Amino acid sequence: MKKLFWLISFFTLLLSTSCKESWCGEKDLGNKFSLVSDKPIQIIFCTSNATCCDSGWTGVPGGIIEYGFNKKWIIAKRSENDYWIIDKDFEIDLTGFDVPGRYEFYQSHIKGNLTKLDFDKIKDSLNIEIELIKIE
């Protein structure tokens, strides 16, 4: 009986840690951001509490070819001259979308459609120590 308990516990833990990526096609990037593997690949900020992100705001539009993230930042590349930086260290009240300024506040944490030069300058000035990883 004790073995069965531990076996069930192990499989429950295994499923709970990998199900979102396997079943939803999403990679959790933290603070409600997900890399959504629908074609084209994009980053969205989930505005729902569903297991799979069924609604949200665009963080980085589709076409991502490289990305990286840590606890505070997300970086992404769409092409040789199209880079993005997201400061995900914020809290936002998602109850009731009609509150003015909520989306603008969210957008203020996204620096997007940057040239390679601008991306490198901002990344250095903010001391972002993340490397881009190619999506395969």
Side-chain angles (χ1 to χ4, degrees):
M1 188 68 163
K2 203 172 193 178
K3 274 186 174 180
L4 181 60
F5 169 77
W6 287 110
L7 188 62
I8 291 171
S9 297
F10 172 74
F11 283 112
T12 302
L13 177 65
L14 185 65
L15 283 174
S16 67
T17 58
S18 64
C19 69
K20 186 169 183 172
E21 194 166 352
S22 302
W23 293 344
C24 300
E26 300 172 8
K27 178 159 185 67
D28 185 3
L29 304 177
N31 195 23
K32 300 188 76 64
F33 283 95
S34 291
L35 180 75
V36 181
S37 63
D38 293 341
K39 298 294 182 193
I41 296 170
Q42 61 183 316
I43 294 173
I44 59 174
F45 179 77
C46 296
T47 56
S48 72
N49 290 323
T51 302
C52 295
C53 188
D54 59 359
S55 65
W57 296 329
T58 300
V60 180
I64 297 171
I65 56 175
E66 295 180 31
Y67 77 102
F69 70 101
N70 65 15
K71 189 174 182 175
K72 181 170 173 44
W73 303 101
I74 300 170
I75 59 174
K77 174 182 175 182
R78 295 177 62 217
S79 70
E80 287 306 314
N81 227 11
D82 189 357
Y83 292 81
W84 295 74
I85 297 174
I86 299 174
D87 175 359
K88 62 180 183 174
D89 189 22
F90 66 89
E91 291 184 29
I92 190 168
D93 178 15
L94 293 173
T95 55
F97 286 99
D98 57 344
V99 177
R102 188 171 286 153
Y103 184 72
E104 288 79 15
F105 171 76
Y106 163 74
Q107 285 292 315
S108 72
H109 288 82
I110 300 172
K111 295 173 181 16
N113 206 314
L114 302 166
T115 65
K116 173 73 168 136
L117 182 62
D118 289 338
F119 173 76
D120 288 339
K121 283 180 183 177
I122 293 170
K123 191 176 167 207
D124 287 344
S125 73
L126 296 173
N127 199 26
I128 300 172
E129 297 179 3
I130 307 169
E131 296 301 318
L132 289 165
I133 301 167
K134 193 172 283 273
I135 295 176
E136 298 187 32

